Every structure is written in C-alpha cells, then in structure tokens.
C-alpha cells in the first residue's frame, strides 16, 4: 500500500506557483489577487478562509476578505460581487459556502464573472467542463486529478466509483474522470446497495461527509481509494469517509485524512487564481 501524500504534493505545487508569481510581477507588473466573501460566523468557514488567506500570502498573492454578517441581504451580496467583478486587481472570487439559509446560493454563484470564477461553480464553467473545454474546474476534484497525474495512475478504461454527487465535489469529479476516459459510476444517498458498486471499482473516490462509510468489505484487493471527506468526530480529531485502518491494507494507493485531498484543494485554488491572472488584460 502506498500513501498518496497530498501535503507534499500541495507544497510542490505552491512552490511552482510562487516562482510563476515572481515572473508575472517582473514581466507584467501583475500581482494575482483573490477576493473571498465570508458570510456569518461558522467556525469551520472562518478556519478555511484563514487557511486560504495564509496560502495566498505565502505565494505572494494579494488577497482580501469581505466579512459580512449572516443577516446580510441577497441584494447586498450581489452588489458586493458586482463591485469585485469590476475590480482590476482581483483575478479570482470565492464565495465561502455554505451560505445562510435565506440566501439563494445558485443565484449568488451566477453573479460571479465566469472569468474570475476560480472555484469553478458558475454554470458557464460547469458547462465547459462537461463538454471538455478549458474552464475553471472545482478545486477539490481538480486536486484529485493532480494526484492521479503525480502518482502516474492511468485512468483510461478504469472502473471508477464516485461516492457522493454534490455540485462541488462528486459531479465535477465524475466529469473530469469521464473526460479522462474512465468508466464512471456515480452513487449517492439514494443508491441501493452501495457496496455492489464500490466493490467492482478499480478506483473509489468518496466525498460524502459520513465518517467510516467505506468499509473493508466494500473495496476490492488492490483498489485505489481517494478520501475527500472531512469530518470532525467527538474527540475533536479529523477523519475521512473511509475506515482507513481496515481499508488501507487492501489498497494499492490511498489518501490519508488529514494530509490528503484537503491541502490539494487550497493548492488548486491558488493555481486557478494564477491561471486567471496570467490572462488578465
Ligand atoms: P454534500 O452534503 O453537498 O453532498 C454529499 C453527497 O453525498 C450527496 O450527493 C449525497 O447524496 C451523498 N451521500 C450522503 N450520504 C450518503 C451515503 N450514506 N451513501 C452514499 N452517498 C451519500 O457534501 P459536499 O459539500 O459534497 O462534501 C462532502 C464531503 O467532502 C464532506 O465531508 C466535506 O467536508 C468534504 N469536502 C472536502 C473537501 C476537501 O478539500 N477535502 C472539499 C469539499 C468538501
């Protein structure tokens, strides 16, 4: 069994981004800029945004966070995004999810200029991803693809079972895998007999939010298991969606939690923001 080390791969990606930022500053006098919209006081969202801001600083980006109370109206959020859309110093806009219940998340995401949509959630970018055109791709699945590339894991013709079908994880993951010529099965909460799907797969990618959902008898010998789940359990520790202790001995490759997909998500956010800055007009 080989561990897929997301932390060291993310560090490698970040160092190459740092060099590219230096080049961009010297050649075009451009400093990539990321704006984050953070609404409410959910501790997990605050922690994620802090990590993202720190990562921006580390690679030499300019970053700003618009902190708003959870009583803010839809119109005020829209007005803020429109203002950032027009800000020439900003190349990427990220709206930290989840948003408060009274806010229409899809409508908010649609206001982001698709050219600054570094999270890849705008329907324009989703459509381009599905049709295999160049686009901004959601950071978590993009990070998983980078892991496959780094570890030279061939996807062509492989049976891949994606567990979880959200707009931000499972669906873009499935599109990327399909674009890479894998045979993809997408499963979700209504799937009957999940095990019958996961146990046939050469690769299982799970992003659900249920600790220990994937058990030893659900994966075949030699499978590759990618665990996107991040769950804080009672003792305060972070675990994924895979029963790591019992599943890992059966795997050829597996990602740990923490230190797997999580760091790659932030690295891909930086990578998407750099990509946007490189075509700034
Ligand atoms: P979500 O709640 O939007 O979607 C969950 C998906 O899992 C849904 O499609 C649902 O049908 C499916 N599901 C739920 N229970 C299931 C079950 N018992 N069997 C099969 N499918 C089931 O969640 P999300 O935003 O997609 O996040 C999923 C997980 O990934 C969470 O743990 C989240 O913290 C984590 N996540 C991690 C990163 C990262 O950087 N590693 C990024 C985003 C999300």
């Amino acid at each position: 069994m080989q561990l897929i080390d997301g932390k060291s791969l993310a560090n490698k990606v970040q160092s190459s981004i740092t060099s590219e930022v230096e080049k961009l500053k010297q050649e075009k006098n451009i400093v990539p800029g990321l704006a984050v919209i953070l609404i409410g006081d959910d501790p997990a969202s605050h922690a994620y945004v802090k990590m993202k801001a720190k990562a921006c600083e580390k690679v030499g980006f300019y970053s700003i966070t618009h902190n708003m109370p959870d009583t803010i109206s839809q119109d005020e959020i829209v007005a803020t995004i429109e203002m950032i859309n027009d800000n020439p110093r900003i190349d990427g806009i990220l709206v930290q999810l989840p948003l408060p219940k009274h806010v229409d998340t899809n409508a908010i995401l649609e206001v982001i200029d698709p050219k600054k949509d570094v999270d890849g959630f705008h329907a324009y970018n989703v459509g381009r991803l599905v049709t295999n055109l160049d686009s901004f791709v959601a950071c978590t699945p993009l990070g998983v693809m980078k892991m496959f590339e780094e570890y030279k894991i061939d996807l062509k013709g492989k049976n891949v079972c994606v567990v979880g079908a959200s707009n931000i994880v499972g669906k873009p993951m499935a599109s990327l895998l399909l674009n890479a010529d894998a045979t993809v099965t997408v499963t979700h909460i209504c799937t009957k007999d999940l095990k019958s799907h996961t146990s046939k797969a050469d690769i299982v990618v799970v992003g659900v939010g249920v600790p220990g959902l994937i058990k030893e008898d659900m994966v075949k010998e030699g499978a590759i298991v990618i665990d996107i789940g991040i769950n804080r359990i009672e003792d305060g520790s972070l675990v994924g969606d895979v029963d790591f202790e019992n599943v890992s001995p059966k795997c050829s490759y597996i990602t740990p939690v923490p230190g797997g997909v999580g760091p790659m998500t932030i690295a891909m956010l930086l990578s998407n923001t750099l990509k946007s800055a490189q075509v700034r007009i």
Side-chain angles (χ1 to χ4, degrees), residues 99-130:
L99 295 177
K101 285 197 171 57
H102 69 276
V103 178
D104 178 345
T105 301
N106 286 331
I108 291 294
L109 296 177
E110 291 291 285
V111 180
I112 298 172
D113 179 346
K115 293 188 173 57
K116 297 188 178 188
D117 173 38
V118 288
D119 248 344
F121 295 161
H122 192 290
Y124 173 86
N125 284 309
V126 175
R128 289 183 66 90
L129 167 64
V130 172

Side-chain angles (χ1 to χ4, degrees), residues 88-237:
R89 286 188 71 189
I90 297 299
D91 303 287
I93 303 173
L94 180 156
V95 177
Q96 184 65 39
L97 302 181
L99 295 177
K101 285 197 171 57
H102 69 276
V103 178
D104 178 345
T105 301
N106 286 331
I108 291 294
L109 296 177
E110 291 291 285
V111 180
I112 298 172
D113 179 346
K115 293 188 173 57
K116 297 188 178 188
D117 173 38
V118 288
D119 248 344
F121 295 161
H122 192 290
Y124 173 86
N125 284 309
V126 175
R128 289 183 66 90
L129 167 64
V130 172
T131 41
N132 204 4
L133 295 170
D134 182 52
S135 62
F136 285 117
V137 176
C139 302
T140 302
L142 188 60
V144 174
M145 294 305 281
K146 190 83 189 164
M147 287 172 147
F148 289 139
E149 189 189 313
E150 178 74 11
Y151 284 79
K152 301 192 171 32
I153 294 169
D154 185 24
L155 298 168
K156 203 171 193 161
K158 294 281 163 60
N159 289 326
V160 186
C161 182
V162 177
V163 186
S166 68
N167 287 344
I168 65 172
V169 176
K171 285 184 200 166
M173 188 75 250
S175 293
L176 285 166
L177 289 162
L178 205 50
N179 291 345
D181 294 329
T183 301
V184 186
T185 304
V186 185
T187 60
H188 45 79
I189 189 79
C190 298
T191 298
K192 290 184 183 119
D193 192 7
L194 181 62
K195 181 179 159 184
S196 69
H197 298 282
T198 56
S199 58
K200 282 203 281 278
D202 303 307
I203 304 174
V204 177
V205 182
V206 53
V208 158
V210 179
L213 176 73
I214 304 299
K215 303 204 167 35
E216 183 191 351
D217 63 346
M218 295 172 76
V219 299
K220 71 177 184 188
E221 204 64 50
I224 296 168
V225 174
I226 307 293
D227 191 353
I228 295 174
I230 301 179
N231 309 290
R232 196 168 289 282
I233 56 172
E234 274 171 21
D235 68 6
S237 59

